[in-house]
Amino acid sequence: MPILDTLTSDIGRIRPHRRYGRVHAVNGLAVEVSGPTDAMHVGARMTVEAHGGRAVACEIVGFRADHAIAMPFARLEGIGPGARTYIEGGIAAIRPDTSWLGRVVNAIGEPIDGKGALKPGRADHVLRRPAPPAHARQRLGAPLDLGIRAINTFVTCCRGQRMGIFAGSGIGKSMLFSMLARNTRADVSVIGLIGERGREVQEFIADSLGPEGLARSIVVVATSDEAALMRRQAAHLTMTLAEYFRDQGRDVLCLIDSITRFAAAQREIGLASGEPPTTRGYTPTVFAELPALLERAGPGTEAGSITGLFTVLVEGDDHNEPVADAVRATLDGHIVMERQIAERGRFPAINVLRSVSRTMPECVNPEHRALIAEARTVMGAYADMEEIIRLGAYRRGSDPLIDRAIELNPHFEAFLGQEKTEFTSIGDGYAELARIMNSAGTGANI
């Protein structure tokens, strides 16, 4: 029966005839196509014949009068006015299979790891699928062990939660991302590298994931030199693959690096299709596409969940820039990385006082909540007085809380720092934090 279902699906995809149009104009990254408008719609696929026999796949992203505006998945060289355009119709879909675990694919779902062809699954999965209905979703699950002390203890994440990692360039965001990919205890990992440097892809797969991590992962890659449509589709493909495994009842870790590059790709597409630029040049569809993508992560309607961890590259270290602000408003929490912390050599450079997990109060027991609140109070007291302390203007004995903060600050710094290959469970993190808090004023060697 499964073979018959697959055959029936394949037969249904066969079209009895082909319809075509002609290239009317090429403007920047966009191709204007004239042809049968009843066969063209937003999201439809088409193939343009370029000089030299090269075929360029495109997707319709808008219309101008009676012309379709299409964006290419590859370079536009060789395309000119009058070039024939075959209209495929349909919408973007993929046919994933469990055998894809351990593989590296591009935004179209083609293998790029040199390990041979991928086995197609039995059913089509639309790439731009709507999020599950809010009223039908399950509740979040138990705390998820991410293996990183600073996050496990101060920003505890639950299964099915969506968290953002906000950082400027060169602060160690990629290192934290690789630690999460290696350490998180999930059934399956689906990792999207969106707009990534080509040099870093193999380093991430070989060094950060390793053979054991790759065996339970699928990696989707769209490097920075690829077309905007490829970068945008890579994010949707990553989420679609995560939904495929979630619907099997598995707990999935979905990592996307980065949402900012997804937004930049959507901005390029919007500008090419004629949208007006708004805040900092971002088009209105950027702020519609972000929640449409991010809301797809989370618990399913039955068993299974998608825990989403998404990096956001903040421009100029401005954590209130438009994309960061829109993403933060959509997600269930945020992890903030700061340049000042990285400059003094503590990695991961997470500012736990500015980081928040909105679901943490419900998934942490009262004893640990009290411990974390006490630790935050002491750390906050040191942060408030840090400049005065460094200048030597504070006199010990003036405030018992600040005296305690000065005593514990070196131990907090050591606790929050972690080597790239080091793993600390949630239980061990709480136990270590309790030892630090209970040792204040005792002169104990922590």
Side-chain angles (χ1 to χ4, degrees):
M1 290 301 294
I3 297 176
L4 182 60
D5 292 341
T6 303
L7 182 60
T8 302
S9 176
D10 289 341
I11 292 174
R13 293 155 65 96
I14 298 175
R15 297 186 177 276
H17 58 271
R18 301 187 73 182
R19 308 183 74 173
Y20 69 90
R22 296 284 181 179
V23 172
H24 176 75
V26 178
N27 297 312
L29 299 175
V31 179
E32 289 192 32
V33 178
S34 59
T37 54
D38 62 315
M40 299 188 290
H41 56 83
V42 173
R45 297 301 178 89
M46 57 176 56
T47 304
V48 181
E49 287 185 346
H51 290 295
R54 191 168 69 95
V56 180
C58 298
E59 179 179 310
I60 297 176
V61 297
F63 289 88
R64 183 176 294 122
D66 58 347
H67 294 157
I69 308 299
M71 291 284 289
F73 284 94
R75 302 185 316 277
L76 287 174
E77 285 83 352
I79 295 177
R84 178 170 291 195
T85 303
Y86 292 99
I87 303 167
E88 309 294 341
I91 55 177
I94 198 73
R95 304 178 76 175
D97 187 77
T98 306
S99 62
W100 290 22
L101 288 172
R103 302 300 300 272
V104 183
V105 301
N106 64 11
I108 305 176
E110 299 170 336
I112 56 174
D113 53 7
K115 296 181 180 179
L118 293 170
K119 175 186 174 183
R122 293 199 299 267
D124 285 338
H125 290 257
V126 178
L127 293 187
R128 298 172 66 84
R129 178 180 174 184
H135 66 278
R137 283 191 160 188
Q138 300 296 314
R139 300 289 297 272
L140 295 179
L144 178 65
D145 198 338
L146 302 178
I148 301 172
R149 286 190 296 270
I151 301 176
N152 277 347
T153 52
F154 288 95
V155 203
T156 308
C157 180
C158 298
R159 293 187 184 274
Q161 188 170 345
R162 301 163 304 162
M163 296 279 284
I165 302 170
F166 294 76
S169 58
I171 300 180
K173 173 175 53 64
S174 297
M175 185 185 80
L176 178 60
F177 189 79
S178 66
M179 292 172 70
L180 291 167
R182 179 193 296 268
N183 294 336
T184 303
R185 298 299 187 245
D187 298 333
V188 174
S189 297
V190 182
I191 302 166
L193 304 178
I194 314 301
E196 190 60 82
R197 304 176 186 89
R199 170 188 62 81
E200 294 183 345
V201 173
Q202 283 295 348
E203 294 176 5
F204 176 82
I205 294 170
D207 301 337
S208 300
L209 273 182
E212 183 179 349
L214 181 61
R216 57 181 177 84
S217 305
I218 301 176
V219 182
V220 181
V221 177
T223 54
S224 59
D225 60 328
E226 295 190 58
L229 211 57
M230 289 287 278
R231 284 177 273 137
R232 184 185 73 172
Q233 181 158 304
H236 287 294
L237 175 59
T238 302
M239 198 63 72
T240 301
L241 292 172
E243 290 171 333
Y244 169 75
F245 288 104
R246 180 192 64 190
D247 293 343
Q248 295 179 355
R250 304 197 195 189
D251 289 319
V252 183
L253 174 67
C254 179
L255 298 169
I256 295 183
D257 182 18
S258 73
I259 291 297
T260 305
R261 297 188 184 114
F262 166 79
Q266 180 60 44
R267 175 173 58 186
E268 290 180 36
I269 294 168
L271 291 173
S273 63
E275 277 192 87
T278 54
T279 310
R280 293 201 185 180
Y282 288 103
T283 55
T285 53
V286 171
F287 302 102
E289 288 288 334
L290 284 172
L293 175 72
L294 299 174
E295 284 286 354
R296 294 169 64 182
T301 55
E302 298 180 0
S305 66
I306 299 174
T307 303
L309 296 171
F310 312 104
T311 66
V312 180
L313 182 63
V314 294
E315 297 181 4
D317 291 346
D318 178 9
H319 289 263
N320 294 317
E321 57 94 16
V323 171
D325 204 39
V327 172
R328 186 167 49 244
T330 304
L331 299 180
D332 305 317
H334 50 272
I335 298 166
V336 176
M337 304 182 72
E338 288 193 346
R339 191 171 304 279
Q340 293 86 347
I341 297 175
E343 287 172 349
R344 65 174 183 252
R346 196 250 283 168
F347 293 97
I350 298 172
N351 185 332
V352 296
L353 296 177
R354 295 184 61 190
S355 302
V356 174
S357 171
R358 294 191 175 98
T359 65
M360 185 175 174
E362 287 75 30
C363 69
V364 175
N365 65 50
E367 178 186 353
H368 289 154
R369 284 204 301 270
L371 174 67
I372 295 163
E374 183 184 6
R376 281 181 174 272
T377 299
V378 176
M379 295 170 70
Y382 185 89
D384 291 340
M385 299 290 291
E386 186 171 7
E387 290 299 322
I388 296 176
I389 293 169
R390 293 186 186 280
L391 290 172
Y394 174 76
R395 293 182 59 187
R396 286 184 179 268
S398 301
D399 188 326
L401 177 59
I402 297 175
D403 291 343
R404 188 184 186 202
I406 294 172
E407 178 186 350
L408 292 182
N409 184 65
H411 305 297
F412 283 138
E413 287 292 303
F415 175 79
L416 296 174
Q418 188 168 334
E419 294 294 329
K420 182 178 179 179
T421 57
E422 187 180 355
F423 174 88
T424 302
S425 67
I426 293 178
D428 290 343
Y430 284 134
E432 179 63 22
L433 183 62
R435 282 194 294 272
I436 292 172
M437 298 303 296
N438 293 335
S439 66
T442 63
N445 183 18
I446 304 173

